[in-house]
Amino acid sequence: MSLRERLALAEDPRAGIGVQLEHSSAFAYQDLKKTMHQLILDRIDLERLKRLTPEQFKHELALLVQRIIEDERIVLNQSERHHLVLDIQHEMLGFGPLEPLLADPGVSDILVNTHDKVYVERTGRLELTGVTFHDNAHLMKIIEKIVSRVGRRVDESSPMVDARLPDGSRVNAIIPPLAVDGPILSIRRFSSNPLTVERLLEFKSLTPPMVQVLEALGHAKLNILISGGTGSGKTTLLNVLSGAIPGTERIVTIEDAAELQLRQPHVVRLETRPPNLEGKGEVTQRALVRNALRMRPDRIILGEVRGAEAIDMLQAMNTGHEGSLATIHANSPRDALARLENMVGMAGVNLTSRAVRQQICAAVTVVMQVSRLTDGARKLVSLQEVTGMEGDVIAMHEIFRFEQTGVDANGRVLGAFSATGVRPRFADRLRLYGAPVPDSVFDPNRFFE
């Protein structure tokens, strides 16, 4: 069947009505685009195109698509031609059907559940899009293109992979045989312009008194642990906190997939490496933390602590690398410290529970809990200070909290931020480091909705 016949099938009113016609047209268009792509590959001079700039490549590609449309005598209006040219450019130069979603600043997550179901998250809520891939093989090609750009692979012997896009967005892919119905792709978007303190205040994710304390904590070089669930905003808050670090300090970041967007001039970014086909060559976060200690860092930022590297991170915080930051998955500040203790046990060190807790108390000063509420809003719901040991238990004082009072008719969460009235012990250190905060910041009678 020629390209013209395929297009005619999509336009033929006898092809069906309602949803059937919609599905038939969508399939015919995907088939048309796939065949057009193959014709271009047959006609194109790849060696010549390698010498062109991206803009010149796009221009040459557009001319070639127009020529094929005319040769095949396909009836398309100007708008349809424009969309077809764009789709072919996305296919050859980018990530195919994902490109329009990646260009949409309102999309925070892209979730591909096999080739024919693509969901996105906007303002904290999931919605199904009309974006589809031609088939699962097409989706696999896009996944392979993404992971190969960062030197990683995905196949039957290694069916799970973490990667990142050029803009720093986090990517996870899992394919058959582990994914029963077909390849699954998850993309956690990160804005090219990271959220600022002003934007977080605008979104009511925190309050002005909290901002005063956060900026002072960064200036006074206190070790901070950020706790929260998946998609709660841990990395966003980590980026904001890092903004308080002076530009004169040397920062080493360690991540599974590099996504932090620090603005300081002296930043060294390290990234883990998975094992190769022979199961060798793996570089873990723990190895990178150990190596970072030999790189003369002023501060170490660990994207997420999730294993044996916890003991090395605590030792780094206790041996002169003050002001270090890390995130951890947990449902509360207390759970975060319990998880940290369990992770130290994974390192195989021969320490008693009390000794591990003493290490934690000496290393971590502040634990911040961020949460994603039922309406999709992300908030800093608790800021607690680690004050020491009371017997065999780690003592903590809550300094700020968000208390939910209900939900309105539109499903929006109601509640207010407030201080607890406790003056933290670290207030004296803030003053010594030239970053004092007034006592009014800790006034429990001030509420922020």
Side-chain angles (χ1 to χ4, degrees):
M1 187 183 293
S2 69
L3 292 179
R4 184 172 48 175
E5 289 170 332
R6 287 192 179 99
L7 191 64
L9 176 63
E11 295 175 337
D12 187 352
R14 293 171 298 178
I17 57 173
V19 176
Q20 290 179 344
L21 177 58
E22 182 182 344
H23 286 177
S24 175
S25 300
F27 178 79
Y29 178 76
Q30 290 283 1
D31 202 21
L32 168 68
K33 188 171 66 172
K34 182 180 179 181
T35 308
M36 179 81 78
H37 188 194
Q38 189 58 52
L39 281 173
I40 289 172
L41 289 177
D42 292 340
R43 295 191 187 187
I44 209 164
D45 183 353
L46 293 176
E47 289 302 318
R48 175 176 170 272
L49 290 177
K50 285 179 182 177
R51 299 190 292 271
L52 300 180
T53 65
E55 287 305 315
Q56 290 172 328
F57 190 6
K58 284 184 179 180
H59 180 68
E60 291 286 332
L61 199 56
L63 291 176
L64 185 53
V65 171
Q66 296 285 8
R67 195 175 307 127
I68 292 174
I69 290 173
E70 291 169 3
D71 291 347
E72 295 287 336
R73 292 183 293 173
I74 302 172
V75 181
L76 294 174
N77 62 36
Q78 193 61 36
S79 175
E80 291 167 340
R81 289 189 179 213
H82 175 70
H83 284 298
L84 183 59
V85 169
L86 276 181
D87 285 345
I88 296 295
Q89 287 177 342
H90 291 160
E91 204 67 47
M92 299 196 69
L93 299 173
F95 302 122
L98 296 177
E99 283 295 324
L101 301 179
L102 292 171
D104 186 347
V107 172
S108 56
D109 286 274
I110 302 172
L111 308 172
V112 183
N113 298 351
T114 70
H115 73 280
D116 59 349
K117 291 187 181 67
V118 179
Y119 291 84
V120 297
E121 181 187 282
R122 286 190 175 91
T123 62
R125 296 184 183 276
L126 289 177
E127 58 184 65
L128 181 64
T129 71
V131 173
T132 61
F133 295 80
H134 184 73
D135 51 27
N136 282 333
H138 181 203
L139 174 55
M140 273 300 303
K141 286 182 180 178
I142 299 299
I143 291 174
E144 288 166 356
K145 182 185 286 190
I146 291 172
V147 302
S148 64
R149 290 192 177 190
V150 291
R152 303 198 175 186
R153 63 185 178 85
V154 59
D155 49 42
E156 285 192 9
S157 63
S158 180
M160 296 184 294
V161 66
D162 287 315
R164 68 177 184 279
L165 297 179
D167 65 358
S169 298
R170 185 192 309 165
V171 177
N172 176 269
I174 182 166
I175 67 171
L178 300 187
V180 177
D181 298 319
I184 307 295
L185 178 67
S186 306
I187 301 176
R188 175 70 53 81
R189 294 288 311 285
F190 287 93
S191 171
S192 56
N193 296 314
L195 288 176
T196 61
V197 169
E198 291 73 21
R199 294 293 302 280
L200 291 181
L201 286 171
E202 181 184 333
F203 295 149
K204 297 184 178 180
S205 296
L206 37 68
T207 65
M210 286 181 173
V211 171
Q212 284 184 269
V213 172
L214 296 188
E215 291 177 344
L217 290 173
H219 188 79
K221 302 189 72 171
L222 290 170
N223 297 321
I224 299 172
L225 187 64
I226 301 172
S227 166
T230 300
S232 59
K234 298 187 298 298
T235 304
T236 297
L237 183 58
L238 190 58
N239 271 317
V240 169
L241 284 171
S242 68
I245 300 175
T248 56
E249 296 188 16
R250 177 176 170 86
I251 306 168
V252 177
T253 69
I254 299 167
E255 303 171 84
D256 270 340
E259 57 188 348
L260 290 173
Q261 300 169 305
L262 274 62
R263 300 297 186 185
Q264 286 79 358
H266 200 161
V267 177
V268 178
R269 304 169 74 206
L270 305 180
E271 185 178 56
T272 61
R273 186 177 71 184
N276 59 20
L277 282 169
E278 291 77 32
K280 299 178 181 178
E282 181 181 16
V283 180
T284 64
Q285 282 201 137
R286 186 173 191 189
L288 291 179
V289 172
R290 287 179 172 179
N291 190 77
L293 297 176
R294 306 185 186 102
M295 299 172 66
R296 198 264 174 212
D298 289 307
R299 306 198 196 206
I300 296 174
I301 298 181
L302 193 57
E304 182 183 337
V305 55
R306 57 162 62 91
E309 67 273 5
I311 183 64
D312 301 285
M313 181 196 74
L314 292 176
Q315 289 176 343
M317 289 177 169
N318 279 322
T319 54
H321 302 93
E322 295 178 313
S324 295
L325 308 170
T327 71
I328 189 171
H329 274 84
N331 294 324
S332 70
R334 177 67 62 183
D335 288 345
L337 298 186
R339 285 207 69 214
L340 201 56
E341 183 180 345
N342 292 337
M343 291 174 188
V344 171
M346 294 167 63
V349 293
N350 189 19
L351 292 174
T352 64
S353 294
R354 180 177 176 80
V356 173
R357 290 169 189 166
Q358 287 174 332
Q359 278 267 65
I360 293 172
C361 286
V364 180
T365 304
V366 174
V367 183
M368 300 179 186
Q369 182 71 31
V370 288
S371 290
R372 178 178 169 178
L373 306 182
T374 54
D375 60 356
R378 297 168 173 88
K379 295 184 185 293
L380 174 54
V381 296
S382 182
L383 188 152
Q384 301 197 19
E385 178 186 27
V386 178
T387 57
M389 296 282 292
E390 291 182 1
D392 289 336
V393 179
I394 298 174
M396 304 175 73
H397 287 160
E398 189 169 43
I399 310 301
F400 295 103
R401 68 160 69 105
F402 174 81
E403 191 167 350
Q404 182 174 339
T405 56
V407 178
D408 68 13
N410 297 319
R412 189 173 66 90
V413 170
L414 304 176
F417 292 96
S418 66
T420 61
V422 175
R423 185 179 185 276
R425 297 183 183 182
F426 60 67
D428 292 331
R429 175 168 175 136
L430 301 184
R431 178 177 53 81
L432 291 174
Y433 274 75
V437 293
D439 288 341
S440 59
V441 164
F442 309 111
D443 182 0
N445 296 314
R446 298 173 68 193
F447 294 89
F448 299 82
E449 294 186 354

